[in-house]
Amino acid sequence: MKRIMLTLMMLTNLSVFSQLNHSSLPVSESGLITFTEVVSVDGVSQETLFTNAYNHLQSLVDNHKKLKKGPYVNEDSTEVNLPLAFTVYRDFPIHSPHGLIKYNLRVSVKEGRYRYVASNFVFHYLERNRYGKFVEVKGKYKYLEDPVYKGSQKLWEEHKQSAAEKVAQVTEMLRADMLLAPEQPTEEIVKVKVNEDW
C-alpha cells in the first residue's frame, strides 16, 4: 500500500513538472514572463513613432471602461507606459469571471524602429459582492510566473495562454498604428472677394 501511495505521489509530481515545462511563455533573465520585440519601421522619424505609440495607447484607454489614467510618458519623450488589465474566465460550474490579469505595456521609440515590452503579469482574484457584481478581492493576487495553482492547474495554464493571446492582439494593433503617416495640418482656406470690375 505504501508503494502504491509513493508511486502515485511521484506520478503527480512528475505530471506537475511536465505541465510546467509545457508552458511556452517567454521568460526574461530575471524570471518574469516578458513579451518583447524590436520592430523596424524604415523611413519613419522618432517623433512620428512616438506620436503613433502615444495615440495607440491613448485609444486603449478611451475604449476601455475601467482604465481611468492615460499613458505615462518619460522625460525625453522616447517611451510610453500604460498599465493594462483583462478578465479571465472559468467554465466550471458555470461560465463566470475568475480574475483580472494586470500587466504593463511599454513602448520605446528610436529613429526608424520601436520596441514593445509587456511584463509584470499579476492575476487578481474576483468574487461576487453583495450586489452580485464581480469585484477585485483586495490583497489577494498571484504572479503569473507561479507554476502551481491550488485548484485547477489546467485553468491556470489557460489563463497564461489567455495572456499570450491578449498581448498578441494588442501588439498587432500597435504594429498597424505605428505605420500611420503623421497627420498634416489642414491649411486655412482664405476667402477672397472677387471684384466684378476687372
Side-chain angles (χ1 to χ4, degrees), residues 19 147 149 151-161:
Q19 285 178 351
Y149 177 76
S152 173
Q153 188 67 32
K154 182 181 176 193
L155 181 62
W156 186 241
E157 294 301 322
E158 287 174 4
H159 290 346
K160 290 182 181 185
Q161 194 58 41

Side-chain angles (χ1 to χ4, degrees), residues 31-166:
L32 297 176
I33 294 172
T34 304
F35 297 88
T36 185
E37 183 181 6
V38 176
V39 181
S40 293
V41 189
D42 294 330
V44 182
S45 70
Q46 179 176 328
E47 293 79 19
T48 300
L49 288 173
F50 175 79
T51 302
N52 289 348
Y54 182 85
N55 290 341
H56 174 75
L57 295 184
Q58 185 61 50
S59 73
L60 292 177
V61 173
D62 295 341
N63 295 332
H64 198 288
K65 291 186 280 189
K66 295 182 181 179
L67 292 177
K68 295 181 176 41
K69 294 183 179 178
Y72 302 102
V73 177
N74 70 345
E75 290 179 9
D76 59 353
S77 295
T78 59
E79 192 173 276
V80 189
N81 285 292
L82 182 64
L84 293 169
F86 63 95
T87 306
V88 287
Y89 297 86
R90 62 177 157 207
D91 290 324
F92 183 79
I94 59 169
H95 183 75
S96 61
H98 185 225
L100 286 175
I101 294 181
K102 296 182 179 181
Y103 67 102
N104 186 61
L105 179 63
R106 182 176 76 237
V107 182
S108 307
V109 297
K110 289 188 177 181
E111 199 71 27
R113 66 187 188 276
Y114 71 92
R115 178 183 68 183
Y116 67 80
V117 178
S119 61
N120 300 326
F121 291 86
V122 182
F123 173 80
H124 294 263
Y125 291 84
L126 294 178
E127 68 179 6
R128 280 191 194 270
N129 65 9
R130 60 183 173 179
Y131 305 108
K133 293 187 175 182
F134 284 93
V135 294
E136 191 176 327
V137 180
K138 290 186 180 179
K140 192 172 180 188
Y141 59 89
K142 187 176 184 70
Y143 294 100
L144 211 59
E145 293 83 13
D146 200 335
V148 180
Y149 177 76
K150 289 182 182 177
S152 173
Q153 188 67 32
K154 182 181 176 193
L155 181 62
W156 186 241
E157 294 301 322
E158 287 174 4
H159 290 346
K160 290 182 181 185
Q161 194 58 41
S162 295
E165 291 166 4
K166 183 56 100 174

